[in-house]
Amino acid sequence: KCDEEFMAILKNSVWGIGGEEFQARIRDTHTDMVMNVRRREDVALRKIRLNVSPDEILQIVGSVLGVAPEMLSQRIYGSRARAVAAQMLMKYSGMNQRDAATRLNVGTGAAVSQQLTALRADMESDVNLARCVVKIEKLLDTSAELPHQKHS
């Protein structure tokens, strides 16, 4: 029952896990940030690690998912590999959705956003996909900690 309640909270908490006051503060912060940028998709509230090169990220994603890194910029029907790559590019190299879209030949930042939404849903029902994403994050976390891996 606790797991079900927790999953419901995760699924329904757009602004984060916390009370109404916390969520209101996050919502207000986001609104302020949106008002100060040209494009809405440039706003990010999450901590971004900036020290893993995009090439290294694509290499690791491809290796774990069994896809050649150059294939991550091509559409593969039914594959979530590009969505995983976009998520990791944003999290570990500091790209926004628009930059990740350009790097992966997706089209627009909005298309990346749609892929990420579908990826989250797929991870809830596909344990193997979720495990692969966790493995990729662990590898990238390790890579991010290495001083010789710093790239812009």
Side-chain angles (χ1 to χ4, degrees):
K1 179 147 171 103
C2 280
D3 286 344
E4 290 172 13
E5 290 174 0
F6 181 68
M7 292 307 290
I9 290 169
L10 280 179
K11 195 171 194 173
N12 297 323
S13 298
V14 175
W15 299 107
I17 299 173
E20 196 55 43
E21 184 179 313
F22 170 78
Q23 289 195 18
R25 189 174 73 230
I26 298 300
R27 188 173 41 251
D28 291 345
T29 299
H30 183 265
T31 300
D32 291 344
M33 291 172 75
V34 167
M35 301 302 261
N36 292 312
V37 295
R38 275 188 32 218
R39 293 188 180 202
R40 187 173 187 262
E41 65 261 26
D42 289 343
V43 174
L45 295 172
R46 296 182 179 165
K47 180 180 177 186
I48 298 171
R49 297 176 180 103
L50 302 174
N51 57 341
V52 181
S53 75
D55 288 337
E56 184 175 2
I57 291 168
L58 298 181
Q59 193 70 35
I60 290 172
V61 169
S63 173
V64 172
L65 296 179
V67 177
E70 57 273 9
M71 294 299 292
L72 293 171
S73 62
Q74 297 178 17
R75 186 175 190 176
I76 303 169
Y77 184 77
S79 172
R80 288 287 171 227
R82 280 204 300 181
V84 173
Q87 180 175 316
M88 299 308 152
L89 286 168
M90 293 166 52
K91 184 173 181 178
Y92 291 94
S93 76
M95 289 186 179
N96 58 35
Q97 290 177 349
R98 189 170 3 108
D99 295 337
T102 299
R103 177 67 191 243
L104 298 170
N105 197 29
V106 172
T108 66
V112 167
S113 178
Q114 290 173 344
Q115 285 192 352
L116 295 175
T117 299
L119 175 63
R120 283 189 292 275
D122 288 349
M123 286 175 56
E124 286 181 19
S125 61
D126 185 340
V127 174
N128 289 328
L129 176 61
R131 284 183 183 143
C132 285
V133 170
V134 168
K135 181 176 181 176
I136 291 166
E137 288 179 329
K138 285 181 181 178
L139 290 167
L140 290 169
D141 283 338
T142 300
S143 184
E145 293 170 2
L146 300 174
H148 68 284
Q149 297 293 328
K150 284 202 169 193
H151 299 281
S152 56

